[in-house]
Structure formats: C-alpha cells, structure tokens
Amino acid sequence: MSAEDLEKYETEMELQLYREYRDVVGLFSYVIETERRFYLANEYKIDVRNTTDGEVFFELTLRDAWVWDMFRPARFVKNVRVVTFKDINVEELTKAEL
C-alpha cells in the first residue's frame, strides 16, 4: 500500500466517522472531551480524586456513550470509565426544537 493509498483510506475513514457523528449527535445530551478522546453521552459523572502524594486526578464515568475513534469497530458503548490528570471539558447540547 502506497503512502497515497493510506492517506486516501484515512481521509475516507474520517469522512465516514464525521457522517456517523452527524447522524447520532441528536441522540445525546452532552459532548465530553478529554486529552485522548471525544465522547457523546447522555449521563456523566466526574469525581475529583487525590493520590497519596497529593496529586489531583479525575475519574470520569459515562453511560450510554458514543466514542469518536475511527479505528474502533464499535463506537457505541454502554459504560465508559476514564481516569486522567488532564482537563475534561463538558458541554450540554441544545436539543433542536421540533
């Protein structure tokens, strides 16, 4: 496989992922972004934890989620648990009026 073929494949996968995102975003209430992943979810919980040496980390729990990851075969997940020392951004989605 040439570099051009690989680039074309990745571009097609990204477009397919974007289309899937566009189709499912209306099913979810929150957009959640971590340093490694982007999620859509209907429920979330963030717990602030401390290590024994005083560092702070976050434990993020998501229910009924969709993961933005083009290499993942199944993007819908029932439960997700993320532990991170980095920021977590949460945005509530506005439901379109009927």
Side-chain angles (χ1 to χ4, degrees):
M1 180 179 272
S2 71
E4 184 178 309
D5 290 338
L6 182 58
E7 187 174 323
K8 183 178 178 184
Y9 172 77
E10 287 181 353
T11 301
E12 289 173 7
M13 291 293 291
E14 287 175 6
L15 181 58
Q16 179 182 352
L17 183 61
Y18 171 75
R19 287 179 178 149
E20 183 177 326
Y21 165 81
R22 185 188 61 203
D23 291 342
V24 303
V25 70
L27 302 172
F28 296 95
S29 299
Y30 301 97
V31 173
I32 298 143
E33 186 177 3
T34 68
E35 81 276 3
R36 297 196 62 197
R37 295 279 188 274
F38 177 87
Y39 302 91
L40 298 172
N42 284 321
E43 293 180 34
Y44 76 94
K45 180 180 176 189
I46 299 175
D47 291 311
V48 179
R49 308 276 193 215
N50 294 301
T51 64
T52 55
D53 58 351
E55 290 188 68
V56 174
F57 67 95
F58 305 96
E59 184 175 353
L60 171 65
T61 306
L62 306 175
R63 289 184 39 95
D64 187 21
W66 181 88
V67 183
W68 180 285
D69 186 343
M70 70 180 177
F71 300 110
R72 191 180 175 97
R75 287 183 271 280
F76 287 96
V77 288
K78 187 172 182 166
N79 296 299
V80 177
R81 180 175 169 258
V82 177
V83 176
T84 181
F85 286 90
K86 307 276 183 171
D87 290 340
I88 298 170
N89 297 311
V90 179
E91 178 181 333
E92 186 171 5
L93 294 168
T94 304
K95 297 292 181 183
E97 293 184 23
L98 298 176

